Amino acid sequence: MTAFAKRAEEFRPSPVRAVFETAMDPSVVSLAGGNPDLSLLPGGSIGTLAATLLADRGPEVLQYGSGAGTEAFRALVVNLMRSRGSQVTEDQVQPLAGSQAGLDLVTKLYCNPGDVVLAEGPTYVGALGVFGSYEVEVRHVDIDGEGLNPDDVAAALDTLAREGRRVPFLYTVPTFQNPTGVSLSTERRRALVEVCAARDVMILEDDPYGLLAFDRGADPAPTLHSLAPDHVIHLGSASKIFSPGLRVGWAVAPGPVRARMQIAAEAVLIHPSMLSQELAVAWLGSPEWPDVLDRTVALYAERAAAVTGALAEHLGDRAEWTDPTGGFFTWVRMPGAGLTDVLGRGIREGVVIVPGAACYADGRSSDAVRVAFSGVTPDRAKEGIRRLASAVRPA
Amino acid sequence: MTAFAKRAEEFRPSPVRAVFETAMDPSVVSLAGGNPDLSLLPGGSIGTLAATLLADRGPEVLQYGSGAGTEAFRALVVNLMRSRGSQVTEDQVQPLAGSQAGLDLVTKLYCNPGDVVLAEGPTYVGALGVFGSYEVEVRHVDIDGEGLNPDDVAAALDTLAREGRRVPFLYTVPTFQNPTGVSLSTERRRALVEVCAARDVMILEDDPYGLLAFDRGADPAPTLHSLAPDHVIHLGSASKIFSPGLRVGWAVAPGPVRARMQIAAEAVLIHPSMLSQELAVAWLGSPEWPDVLDRTVALYAERAAAVTGALAEHLGDRAEWTDPTGGFFTWVRMPGAGLTDVLGRGIREGVVIVPGAACYADGRSSDAVRVAFSGVTPDRAKEGIRRLASAVRPA
């Protein structure tokens, strides 16, 4: 059969992936996948919303729709963005079949092969796959407990400029970051957008976790988009506040950029599922949603506490970790523990985690692992950390 | 703001597109879009299916799923492929968020910039957009009333081989073709797969209309996939037999190819909507579906007859057209009519069609238009053709 294209090399099965697939045994505690907890979602009520949509507006929601999304969906995103501190107009909203599709789309529109994307070190593993598929080089800027240091970003950009490399954008998850759980401070946000705007480097702000602050009363940090709307493309998602299975996300971008995104998105997908868009409108616009979200986030906070408590108990003497204030993840560094086969050793002990090395593009080794607490009960989370401690204990 | 990548040139708004958007006035008869008729779909019953799925299996259909699709969806496709004459195993089925996504995926996996894809002349306009986005050159092989002539394909491939060009695949819609409505004869199907297999050129068979034969009792022509399963990637779609709004399609490919497709698809979309997949399973597996499909196809046959009757009445002296035996389209050639502004002239008369020139990659002029009869009542179809005749009448 015909040979694959050069870029198909990027789509080889990874060893991590193979292990994940064999570790679906229910006796194994998975601290790997960033799955939302859906136990508080009222399936019956959501079913009724879907039934009403199909009974009353079947010929509309089952038919082809616009690549610009439905009007109601764009209006929903305007509202959600307002709760993230961003003033947005409907012509700046591009619906997506999940924000992963936005990573693909923005990379496709902005990156030539050989370009460099700047990203946090460590970063979201799924973004690395996208950048690789467009033959883009990733340079990491290591983060600390407050996220990216703007001075480090400036230095990296200046180095790349001296090297003559084109840098279309900085990719960042500034709030409750994947994989570390770290959030960028407000001061650093302001400095970061200045550093990038001064160098005409766009920021791709990936914000799936922004509405998941454990302290429900606190003011969230402003989105990067709210600070520099002409220099930031913002990606949002319904996956962590409602449902990943429906594949609903969005991009917010200046009007002319959004229009170009629509054309590129249509070539791949025509448009995102009409039913998914309208079901997101119905649920995320319903009076029950805020309460269900609050109670679900309380579960995440409880699970985060269970994980950090168990870390203190079992690994307190040789690990350090993020104390998450929102989102799904903590990042556990174990200096000197020698984590080269931490995934395999974990599975032998009955726990799956994401090895830190997977979160870097450059093949470096890592003394850390990502722990996702979102999808496991506190007891399972504690047991998982106990097993992780056994796995990394010197033999 | 940051400049776009080179390939973003391919995603410019087209003049055709701009006209389409301004022609959404309900007084205009649209013979442009290939929309299915959904009037016979029982929205209430489908709503009940969705409600049951969400009430009984909400935490499953709302959660992340596998990039390989749900088991039930793969089983559904195995059954649908059987009704198209193809024996398929579940590990050869890749779910897609619409078959357009399959065009993108296969092009991404197989085509380097500068490669050549062979395609029918004329061909599906949405495929041209995809090929362009990967900087692939399209060479057309003109079709006749029986579709592609295998000898012409062989000659084109041999010419390209002499030119040293890489040809990863032939793209074809062999059954009720978009845009012409023509179907490839069984003899030509056999010859075509031989011609391509002998030259190690894969066939990308796009088959959204295969189940829409007007003669519901006749044996359909075999899929190209059924004739050479190791040399064909087959794309199928629920858009024309159920709903385009849900974005459900599939690819069928040899197991190792399918596995690679899954990895590439996950980088863009994680997986297609779980609710869409399972709703397709529920409806296309329901006892009502075959009857609704039969009655809907009867509508298409009636509309096709209305269009061809009106063509005979109004343009009989200077046009020739395909007599469709299934699908959504006919292709109307008007030699010497001078169709350079047929779209604008049609809109001034109150009818929208797709100008033939849009169905070629090479910018050639065309003496034809595509007429889609699927989405209009017979009376509207007749009125549309009357207006088309006025538009192309010499001033």
Side-chain angles (χ1 to χ4, degrees):
Chain A
M1 190 124 166
T2 310
F4 287 117
K6 187 178 159 214
R7 73 173 74 78
E9 285 299 309
E10 298 291 335
F11 301 116
R12 287 190 174 286
S14 72
V16 173
R17 182 193 178 82
V19 171
F20 265 52
E21 286 183 356
T22 58
M24 290 300 103
D25 181 335
S27 71
V28 172
V29 176
S30 176
L31 301 174
N35 285 17
D37 186 288
L38 305 181
S39 62
L40 300 176
L41 275 182
S45 307
I46 293 166
T48 302
L49 295 174
T52 305
L53 277 170
L54 288 162
D56 295 354
R57 297 164 53 201
E60 177 196 348
V61 297
L62 294 171
Q63 188 54 274
Y64 282 115
S66 166
T70 72
E71 275 189 46
F73 184 78
R74 290 196 300 271
L76 169 77
V77 172
V78 168
N79 281 332
L80 289 171
M81 289 300 293
R82 196 172 298 133
S83 66
R84 294 288 296 116
S86 277
Q87 298 302 319
V88 172
T89 56
E90 292 184 13
D91 70 328
Q92 296 170 335
V93 175
Q94 177 60 39
L96 301 167
S99 61
Q100 181 80 25
L103 294 177
D104 181 77
L105 198 54
V106 172
T107 311
K108 177 182 278 186
L109 279 178
Y110 282 97
C111 296
N112 292 313
D115 284 354
V116 177
V117 162
L118 220 57
E120 287 143 343
T123 191
Y124 166 49
V125 62
L128 296 178
V130 172
F131 301 145
S133 75
Y134 290 95
E135 299 167 66
V136 170
E137 184 185 329
V138 176
R139 294 266 182 106
H140 291 289
V141 177
D142 289 345
I143 62 174
D144 61 26
E146 282 184 82
L148 284 170
N149 184 324
D151 294 338
D152 295 345
V153 172
L157 289 174
D158 294 342
T159 299
L160 285 160
R162 277 193 303 274
E163 292 174 15
R165 302 297 294 271
R166 183 170 183 268
V167 183
F169 58 82
L170 163 73
Y171 170 70
T172 173
V173 185
T175 308
F176 312 131
Q177 199 231 9
N178 182 354
T180 62
V182 158
S183 283
L184 196 62
S185 67
T186 300
E187 297 72 32
R188 285 196 180 181
R189 286 174 196 245
R190 294 188 193 284
L192 182 66
V193 298
E194 267 179 41
V195 158
C196 291
R199 289 160 180 80
D200 204 25
V201 169
M202 188 177 76
I203 297 178
L204 178 56
E205 176 180 41
D206 195 1
D207 186 48
Y209 312 104
L211 289 171
L212 305 180
F214 296 162
D215 181 350
R216 303 305 283 163
D219 271 344
T223 59
L224 299 174
H225 176 268
S226 70
L227 300 174
D230 290 339
H231 292 281
V232 175
I233 294 180
H234 178 101
L235 300 179
S237 174
S239 293
K240 278 74 180 184
I241 57 174
F242 175 21
S243 156
L246 296 175
R247 309 309 307 136
V248 174
W250 55 88
V252 172
V257 172
R258 189 217 63 80
R260 192 73 72 101
M261 292 180 79
Q262 179 184 335
I263 297 170
E266 286 174 354
V268 178
L269 202 64
I270 317 277
H271 61 76
S273 162
M274 294 284 284
L275 181 60
S276 291
Q277 289 181 70
E278 290 297 292
L279 199 52
V281 168
W283 175 246
L284 296 174
S286 76
E288 302 100 296
W289 171 65
D291 177 58
V292 170
L293 183 65
D294 283 350
R295 290 191 291 129
T296 303
V297 173
L299 293 181
Y300 299 146
E302 193 183 357
R303 291 164 186 192
V307 160
T308 52
L311 284 167
E313 181 181 345
H314 298 293
L315 285 163
D317 54 338
R318 56 215 172 89
E320 49 194 53
W321 53 89
T322 320
D323 224 0
T325 57
F328 283 11
F329 308 109
T330 186
W331 181 253
V332 184
R333 287 190 57 223
M334 292 171 273
L339 297 186
T340 42
D341 186 34
V342 65
L343 181 59
R345 280 188 282 153
I347 286 170
R348 285 190 290 277
E349 295 289 335
V351 63
V352 205
I353 44 71
V354 172
C359 304
Y360 293 92
D362 49 15
R364 71 178 80 173
S365 64
S366 165
D367 59 7
V369 300
R370 186 189 80 169
V371 170
F373 49 78
S374 54
V376 284
T377 60
D379 282 351
R380 293 280 283 174
K382 286 180 199 167
E383 174 61 17
I385 297 298
R386 196 193 60 75
R387 294 179 186 181
L388 176 65
S390 300
V392 299
R393 196 165 291 142
Chain B
M1 190 126 166
T2 310
F4 287 117
K6 187 179 160 212
R7 72 173 76 79
E9 286 298 309
E10 298 291 334
F11 301 115
R12 288 190 173 283
S14 72
V16 173
R17 181 193 178 83
V19 171
F20 265 53
E21 286 184 355
T22 59
M24 290 302 103
D25 182 334
S27 71
V28 172
V29 176
S30 177
L31 301 174
N35 284 18
D37 186 288
L38 306 182
S39 62
L40 300 176
L41 276 182
S45 306
I46 293 166
T48 303
L49 295 174
T52 305
L53 276 170
L54 288 162
D56 294 354
R57 296 165 53 200
E60 176 195 348
V61 296
L62 293 172
Q63 189 53 275
Y64 283 114
S66 166
T70 72
E71 275 188 45
F73 184 78
R74 291 196 300 272
L76 169 77
V77 173
V78 167
N79 280 333
L80 288 171
M81 289 300 294
R82 197 172 297 134
S83 66
R84 295 288 296 116
S86 276
Q87 297 302 320
V88 171
T89 55
E90 292 184 15
D91 70 328
Q92 297 169 335
V93 175
Q94 177 61 37
L96 302 167
S99 61
Q100 181 79 25
L103 294 177
D104 182 76
L105 199 52
V106 172
T107 309
K108 177 181 277 184
L109 279 178
Y110 282 97
C111 295
N112 293 313
D115 284 354
V116 177
V117 162
L118 221 56
E120 287 143 343
T123 190
Y124 166 49
V125 62
L128 295 178
V130 173
F131 301 146
S133 75
Y134 289 95
E135 300 168 64
V136 170
E137 184 185 330
V138 175
R139 294 268 181 105
H140 290 289
V141 177
D142 291 344
I143 61 174
D144 60 27
E146 282 183 82
L148 284 170
N149 184 323
D151 293 338
D152 295 345
V153 172
L157 289 175
D158 293 343
T159 299
L160 286 159
R162 278 194 303 273
E163 292 174 15
R165 302 298 294 270
R166 184 171 181 267
V167 184
F169 58 81
L170 163 73
Y171 170 69
T172 175
V173 185
T175 307
F176 312 132
Q177 198 230 11
N178 182 353
T180 62
V182 157
S183 282
L184 195 62
S185 67
T186 301
E187 296 72 29
R188 286 197 180 180
R189 285 174 196 245
R190 294 187 193 285
L192 182 67
V193 298
E194 268 179 39
V195 159
C196 292
R199 288 160 181 81
D200 204 26
V201 169
M202 188 177 76
I203 297 177
L204 178 56
E205 176 179 41
D206 195 1
D207 186 48
Y209 311 104
L211 290 170
L212 304 180
F214 296 163
D215 180 350
R216 303 305 284 164
D219 271 345
T223 59
L224 299 174
H225 176 269
S226 69
L227 300 174
D230 290 340
H231 292 280
V232 175
I233 294 180
H234 178 102
L235 300 179
S237 174
S239 293
K240 278 74 180 183
I241 57 174
F242 175 21
S243 157
L246 295 175
R247 310 308 307 135
V248 174
W250 55 89
V252 172
V257 172
R258 188 217 63 79
R260 191 73 73 104
M261 292 181 79
Q262 178 184 336
I263 297 169
E266 286 174 354
V268 177
L269 202 65
I270 317 278
H271 61 76
S273 162
M274 293 286 283
L275 181 60
S276 291
Q277 290 182 68
E278 289 297 290
L279 199 51
V281 167
W283 174 245
L284 297 173
S286 76
E288 303 100 296
W289 171 64
D291 177 57
V292 170
L293 183 65
D294 284 350
R295 291 191 292 128
T296 303
V297 173
L299 293 181
Y300 299 146
E302 193 184 357
R303 291 164 186 192
V307 160
T308 52
L311 285 167
E313 181 181 347
H314 299 293
L315 284 163
D317 54 337
R318 57 216 172 87
E320 50 194 53
W321 53 87
T322 320
D323 225 0
T325 56
F328 282 11
F329 308 109
T330 185
W331 182 251
V332 185
R333 288 191 57 225
M334 293 170 275
L339 297 185
T340 42
D341 186 33
V342 64
L343 182 59
R345 281 189 283 154
I347 286 169
R348 285 191 289 278
E349 295 289 335
V351 63
V352 206
I353 44 72
V354 171
C359 304
Y360 293 92
D362 48 16
R364 71 176 79 174
S365 64
S366 166
D367 59 7
V369 300
R370 186 189 80 169
V371 169
F373 49 77
S374 53
V376 285
T377 61
D379 282 350
R380 292 281 282 174
K382 285 179 199 167
E383 174 61 17
I385 296 298
R386 195 192 62 73
R387 294 179 186 181
L388 176 64
S390 300
V392 299
R393 196 165 292 142

